[in-house]
DNA sequence: GTAGGGTTAG
């Protein structure tokens, strides 16, 4: 009766339940029940068939070593390592095939340590490791990145005369590459008597993996010229990261073209790798186009596309794809989560960010450093510095990125001195700062107005840590000089840099000249920016505001006319606040909120109070100027509106996060 | 004849 009910309701969760029930019957020896249930399943899948076969054999006869090995192999390949283990444990007789199937099964399952343990156990049982065992065990070394174990096996290979085997050699080359020892891999590769495409691919992949993109590309040419071997799809997959590392879009496009010309499509792995390459070369449109054309997609390719959007600043599109994934039957994994959290951070979506945090915790992902690092950033960026700090404190393993992020978190919130204290702690713990660390540190100095310290760290970065300043670190110093009002020094610093100034770096000088109300410098800097980016709306808006402050109304009008002529849409700022799990967003002068009247009453009241407070400080303009200035500025800035709605909706003392 | 292996995307 119960069976009948279950089978009528054939939903996916019921199907899983049926399978589980079937396993229970079969393995507990209730063969008759298992058979009855099995007969009622209209279209048994492979797994269900296997459960039956296994169950019947278990009760029927002692395992023949051939049949047992077949089962181990099959379960290992289908990802049912527990079943493989069970068969292995219960076998009355085991031979080297049984052991090798287990060693290979664990490796296939991604459990390198279990694989190595099994390898060791086999040898302790007095069974000689042959080429099969060695190849699987070396794969396991690659998985756990243990060159130490790899070398031990290498010695064994030499002792047992297995080194002449091409597959063993290839696996050794691959192992040394995966463990980061390219020099050993190269040496071994060069000593190989004959090389096939797999060996070449291993070495090319090794170069890409270890950030030697030029060597990867050169090796692929050498393969074609020296051994007359044409690249196969896997060669291309291994070459694509090299193009991405070099930001070599033209090389990447060439590989894409090669793949089309040689008829390698459709091939999911290759297509995903090309999507990733385009994204990393900043060619988002090509990535998107290929992704949309793909015949087949899976979680990995979707993750690649989500990361592509995030890397290229299209955070909304990333969120959209993420939600589509969730709506479908695909379950996001740790990589998805790690990719989507920065999108929440940039969009300041605290609530979705928290939900994703919850999801990560529920699925056991939230002890991973690569999940926790973006979470720190997300909470900091969304205004919840305490949550960011809590996550940092709770981490069992903090890497350089964790430290960089928490330093930046305090910098974002204006606590420059705290950031510097944390940086000192980081150095005391013996962690080696990288280029990004100094971006955080120098930003902190800038925020806290610590000019001398800023210079000190800028020099220390080069002298003590051998890090050449990149545009980001130069930008921090330019920003530092600008913020402290030393505009001349800032300008000459930018002009004297060893790199060509970008519009981004000029923007910091523009912001500084605005703060210093230096219109001349602002004009010349804006010209420089517009020469690099003719559609930079920020420049027009900022200049127009500066003219307004200086009462130069004709210039304000001509700026606006210029903007209209260029058909530039002013980027609208938006402030978001969350109250009782409901999100409200505000633009400047926004009156769309349901409580808009109350909000404006509070705003007027507060503005009055603020003005009273300002009365004591000297006023730069005459009262009539103030009126015009205020008229030209947002009457009700989005941040103020959001704060007001926060004030009316929460009890006294509740922190308001905008 | 029946069972085991190397390169491959986020």
């Amino acid at each position: 009766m119960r069976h009948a009910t279950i089978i009528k309701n054939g939903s996916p969760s019921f199907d899983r339940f049926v399978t589980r029930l079937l396993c229970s019957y079969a393995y507990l020896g209730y063969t008759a029940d298992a058979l009855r249930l099995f007969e009622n399943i209209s279209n048994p899948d492979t797994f269900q068939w296997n459960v039956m076969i296994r169950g019947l054999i278990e009760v029927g006869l002692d395992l023949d070593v051939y049949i047992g090995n077949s089962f181990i192999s099959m379960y290992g390949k289908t990802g049912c390592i527990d079943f493989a283990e069970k068969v292995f444990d219960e076998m009355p007789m085991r031979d080297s095939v049984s052991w090798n199937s287990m060693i290979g099964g664990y490796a296939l399952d991604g459990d390198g340590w279990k694989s190595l343990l099994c390898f060791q156990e086999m040898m302790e049982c007095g069974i000689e490791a042959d080429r099969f065992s060695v190849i699987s065990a070396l794969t396991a070394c690659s998985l756990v990145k243990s060159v130490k174990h790899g070398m031990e096996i290498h010695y064994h290979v030499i002792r047992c005369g297995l080194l002449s085997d091409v597959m063993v050699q290839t696996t050794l080359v691959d192992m040394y590459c995966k463990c980061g020892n390219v020099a050993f891999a190269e040496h071994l590769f060069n000593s190989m008597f004959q090389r096939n495409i797999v060996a070449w691919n291993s070495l090319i992949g090794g170069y890409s993996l270890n950030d030697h993109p030029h060597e990867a590309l050169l090796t692929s040419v050498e393969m074609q010229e020296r051994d007359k071997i044409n690249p196969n799809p896997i060669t291309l997959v291994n070459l694509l990261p090299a193009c991405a590392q070099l930001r070599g879009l033209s090389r990447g496009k060439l590989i894409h073209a090669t793949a089309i010309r040689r008829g390698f499509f459709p091939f999911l792995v290759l297509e995903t790798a090309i999507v990733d390459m385009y994204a990393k070369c900043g060619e988002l449109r090509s990535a998107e186009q290929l992704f949309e054309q793909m015949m087949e997609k899976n979680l990995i390719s979707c993750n690649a596309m989500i990361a592509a959007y995030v890397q290229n600043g299209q955070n909304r599109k990333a969120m959209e794809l993420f939600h589509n994934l969730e709506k479908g039957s695909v379950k996001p994994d740790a990589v998805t989560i790690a990719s989507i959290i920065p999108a929440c951070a940039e969009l300041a979506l605290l609530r979705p960010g928290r939900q994703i945090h919850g999801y990560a915790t529920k699925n056991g992902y939230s002890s991973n450093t690569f999940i926790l690092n973006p979470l720190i950033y997300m909470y900091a960026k969304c205004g919840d510095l305490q949550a960011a700090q809590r996550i940092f404190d709770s981490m069992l393993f903090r890497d350089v990125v964790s430290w960089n992020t928490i330093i930046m978190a305090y910098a974002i919130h204006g606590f420059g001195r705290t950031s510097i204290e944390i940086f000192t702690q980081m150095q005391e713990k013996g962690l080696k700062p990288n280029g990004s660390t100094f971006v955080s540190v120098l930003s902190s100095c800038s925020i806290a107005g610590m000019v001398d310290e800023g210079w000190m760290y800028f020099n220390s970065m080069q002298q003590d840590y051998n890090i050449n300043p990149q545009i980001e670190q130069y930008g921090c110093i330019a920003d530092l000089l600008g913020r402290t009002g030393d505009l001349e020094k800032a300008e000459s610093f930018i002009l004297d840099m060893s790199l060509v100034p970008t519009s981004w770096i000029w923007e910091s000088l523009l912001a500084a000249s605005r703060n210093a109300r230096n219109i001349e410098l602002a004009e010349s800097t804006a010209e420089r920016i517009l020469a690099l980016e003719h559609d930079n709306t920020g420049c027009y808006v900022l200049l127009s505001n500066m003219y307004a402050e200086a009462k130069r109304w004709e210039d304000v009008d001509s700026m606006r006319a210029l903007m209209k002529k260029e058909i530039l849409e002013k980027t609208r700022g938006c402030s978001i606040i969350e109250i009782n799990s409901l999100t409200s967003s505000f633009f400047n002068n926004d009156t769309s909120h349901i409580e808009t009247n109350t909000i404006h009453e509070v705003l007027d009241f507060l503005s009055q109070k603020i003005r009273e407070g300002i009365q004591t400080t000297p006023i730069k303009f005459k009262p009539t100027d103030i009126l015009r200035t205020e008229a030209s500025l947002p009457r009700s800035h989005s941040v103020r509106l959001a704060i007001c709605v926060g004030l009316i909706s929460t009890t006294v003392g509740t922190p308001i996060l905008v």
Side-chain angles (χ1 to χ4, degrees):
Chain A
M1 269 314 285
R2 218 170 134 214
H3 296 167
T5 327
I6 293 160
I7 286 151
K8 268 184 196 158
N9 291 295
S11 75
S13 57
F14 268 101
D15 287 352
R16 277 197 297 278
F17 178 69
V18 169
T19 306
R20 231 174 280 151
L21 193 65
L22 193 69
C23 290
S24 316
Y25 284 152
Y27 298 142
L28 293 171
Y30 297 114
T31 318
D33 295 271
L35 268 173
R36 212 172 306 136
L37 176 58
F38 187 70
E39 280 166 10
N40 277 301
I41 303 171
S42 52
N43 264 321
D45 60 28
T46 326
F47 185 84
Q48 288 164 333
W49 275 106
N50 288 338
V51 169
M52 285 312 292
I53 295 164
R54 166 102 178 87
L56 294 180
I57 284 168
E58 185 138 72
V59 287
L61 33 119
D62 274 339
L63 268 175
D64 176 86
V65 72
Y66 275 116
I67 297 171
N69 289 346
S70 303
F71 273 113
I72 297 173
S73 158
M74 179 198 66
Y75 285 132
K77 279 175 189 158
T78 48
C80 308
I81 193 71
D82 296 347
F83 288 135
E85 217 168 40
K86 198 163 183 285
V87 179
F88 181 80
D89 288 343
E90 286 168 11
M91 278 172 90
M93 282 278 289
R94 297 182 197 114
D95 62 6
S96 63
V97 178
S98 330
W99 283 98
N100 290 343
S101 302
M102 260 341 273
I103 298 166
Y106 285 129
L108 218 59
D109 189 48
D111 198 335
W113 290 118
K114 264 198 180 164
S115 176
L116 285 174
L117 224 61
C118 189
F119 177 74
Q120 201 185 341
E121 219 179 300
M122 177 187 77
M123 298 214 283
E124 280 163 10
C125 288
I127 292 169
E128 182 85 16
D130 60 13
R131 48 205 291 273
F132 293 101
S133 0
V134 156
I135 286 167
S136 295
L138 284 171
T139 309
C141 295
S142 302
L143 282 172
V144 299
K145 298 199 192 332
S146 167
V147 77
K148 186 175 152 276
H149 289 84
M151 284 171 91
E152 273 174 35
I153 297 169
H154 192 169
Y155 295 139
H156 176 88
V157 163
I158 296 168
R159 273 198 308 271
C160 301
L162 292 168
L163 195 58
S164 56
D165 186 294
V166 185
M167 271 195 196
V168 173
Q169 287 173 327
T170 306
T171 317
L172 275 167
V173 168
D174 185 58
M175 181 276 295
Y176 282 120
C177 286
K178 297 258 164 68
C179 296
N181 206 327
V182 194
F184 271 37
E186 263 172 359
H187 183 75
L188 207 71
F189 181 84
N190 289 328
S191 73
M192 281 173 79
F193 186 67
Q194 51 165 327
R195 296 173 285 252
N196 57 23
I197 192 157
V198 181
W200 281 101
N201 286 347
S202 298
L203 188 66
I204 293 169
Y207 282 132
S208 288
L209 186 72
N210 292 284
D211 292 318
H212 299 305
H214 293 290
E215 284 85 347
L217 292 163
L218 283 171
T219 306
S220 76
V221 175
E222 212 186 320
M223 171 180 91
Q224 291 168 74
E225 287 179 352
R226 220 167 87 192
D227 283 4
K228 308 284 173 229
I229 296 175
N230 279 326
N232 69 4
I234 293 165
T235 319
L236 302 191
V237 168
N238 282 325
L239 279 172
L240 285 160
C243 301
Q245 283 158 29
L246 294 167
R247 301 279 175 275
L249 183 59
S250 48
R251 287 305 282 262
K253 277 185 178 165
L254 217 62
I255 289 176
H256 188 177
T258 307
I260 296 169
R261 200 175 57 241
R262 291 187 180 272
F264 291 164
F265 290 148
F267 181 32
L268 186 57
V269 175
L270 180 55
E271 287 161 316
T272 307
I274 297 174
V275 166
D276 183 57
M277 178 277 297
Y278 276 132
K280 293 201 169 117
C281 292
E283 189 76 10
L284 185 64
R285 289 302 301 274
S286 304
E288 208 174 17
Q289 220 169 46
L290 179 60
F291 181 74
E292 276 161 14
Q293 285 171 3
M294 281 164 66
M295 308 264 286
E296 192 195 343
K297 287 165 196 164
N298 64 4
L299 182 60
I300 299 180
S301 58
C302 290
N303 286 347
M305 198 58 227
I306 289 174
Y309 283 131
V310 175
Q311 283 159 13
N312 289 279
Q314 296 290 323
N315 297 300
R316 289 194 186 282
K317 284 199 166 181
M319 289 301 287
E320 202 181 307
L321 181 54
F322 175 70
H323 289 309
N324 284 342
L325 201 74
E326 278 189 311
K327 266 185 245 157
S329 53
V330 190
K331 193 172 159 282
D333 69 356
V335 181
T336 325
I337 302 304
S339 311
I340 201 67
I341 296 167
C344 296
E346 296 307 332
L347 296 168
L349 299 172
L350 184 56
R351 205 154 64 94
R354 278 195 188 127
Q355 276 172 356
I356 293 168
H357 185 185
Y359 179 87
T361 310
K362 208 174 79 188
N363 286 280
Y365 302 148
S366 53
S367 56
N368 292 344
T369 307
F370 74 100
I371 298 268
L372 292 170
N373 288 345
L375 274 174
I376 297 175
Y377 181 69
M378 189 274 291
Y379 280 115
K381 202 75 200 296
C382 293
D384 198 341
L385 187 56
Q386 282 97 342
Q389 179 70 56
R390 270 200 304 276
I391 291 177
F392 182 80
D393 291 340
S394 74
M395 286 172 84
L396 294 172
F397 177 74
R398 302 183 190 103
D399 62 7
V400 187
V401 181
S402 325
W403 286 93
N404 294 353
T405 314
I406 193 75
I407 293 171
M408 200 40 137
Y410 279 95
I412 293 170
H413 286 262
F415 299 113
R417 294 205 175 263
T418 316
S419 295
I420 300 298
E421 278 166 31
I422 300 171
F423 175 59
T424 313
Q425 284 173 34
M426 173 185 176
Q427 284 173 308
E428 284 165 3
K429 298 244 177 198
L431 265 106
K432 207 175 148 239
N434 62 18
S436 310
T437 318
F438 282 99
V439 174
S440 301
V441 169
L442 296 173
S443 306
S444 309
C445 293
S446 169
I447 281 154
M450 296 152 67
V451 186
D452 295 340
E453 286 92 337
W455 278 113
M456 191 267 284
Y457 289 124
F458 187 67
N459 292 327
S460 159
M461 170 181 87
Q462 296 166 73
Q463 284 153 17
D464 305 334
Y465 297 102
N466 240 333
I467 299 168
N468 283 329
Q470 299 299 309
I471 201 78
E472 290 85 0
Q473 289 93 6
Y474 279 122
C476 291
I477 295 289
D479 205 43
L480 177 69
L481 295 170
R483 271 176 199 260
T484 53
D486 206 339
L487 300 185
E488 267 176 44
K489 221 175 179 178
E491 190 179 17
S492 59
F493 177 79
I494 293 175
L495 292 168
D496 290 344
M497 305 186 315
S498 60
L499 298 169
V500 182
T502 57
S503 61
W504 174 78
I505 214 161
W506 287 118
E507 275 167 15
S508 75
L509 186 64
L510 184 64
S513 40
R514 189 221 196 284
N515 290 336
R517 299 179 196 281
N518 184 336
I519 293 194
E520 271 178 35
L521 185 62
E523 283 170 337
S524 63
T525 310
E527 258 174 50
R528 285 181 154 136
I529 296 170
L530 292 170
L532 297 163
E533 272 180 17
H534 75 283
D535 58 345
N536 191 309
T537 38
C539 276
Y540 292 104
V541 174
L542 190 135
L543 271 184
S544 154
N545 286 344
M546 283 182 83
Y547 290 138
E549 277 173 358
K551 306 171 289 177
R552 287 167 57 174
W553 307 114
E554 305 83 46
D555 290 320
V556 173
D557 292 340
S558 64
M559 262 322 188
R560 295 210 169 138
L562 209 63
M563 273 184 78
K564 265 191 197 136
K565 195 178 142 217
E566 299 269 327
I567 325 171
L568 296 177
E569 181 101 350
K570 184 177 164 180
T571 320
R572 286 214 291 177
C574 173
S575 301
I576 303 161
I577 183 164
E578 190 192 305
I579 299 136
N580 300 330
S581 309
L582 276 172
T583 308
S584 307
S585 18
F586 293 91
F587 295 107
N588 291 343
N589 305 319
D590 202 324
T591 52
S592 62
H593 195 275
I594 194 158
E595 298 273 18
T596 190
N597 290 335
T598 324
I599 291 170
H600 278 87
E601 276 168 30
V602 176
L603 184 61
D604 289 344
F605 174 76
L606 286 176
S607 305
Q608 181 63 33
K609 285 280 168 199
I610 292 166
R611 250 180 251 129
E612 284 168 15
I614 293 172
Q615 292 293 315
T616 54
T617 60
I619 302 166
K620 270 196 168 177
F621 306 105
K622 293 174 200 151
T624 44
D625 289 337
I626 291 179
L627 282 176
R628 273 211 82 166
T629 307
E630 284 201 341
S632 74
L633 294 170
R635 273 188 306 280
S636 38
H637 192 278
S638 65
V639 176
R640 292 187 179 189
L641 293 172
I643 292 174
C644 288
V645 84
L647 289 173
I648 40 182
S649 315
T650 55
T651 53
V652 177
T654 313
I656 294 171
L657 295 181
V658 175

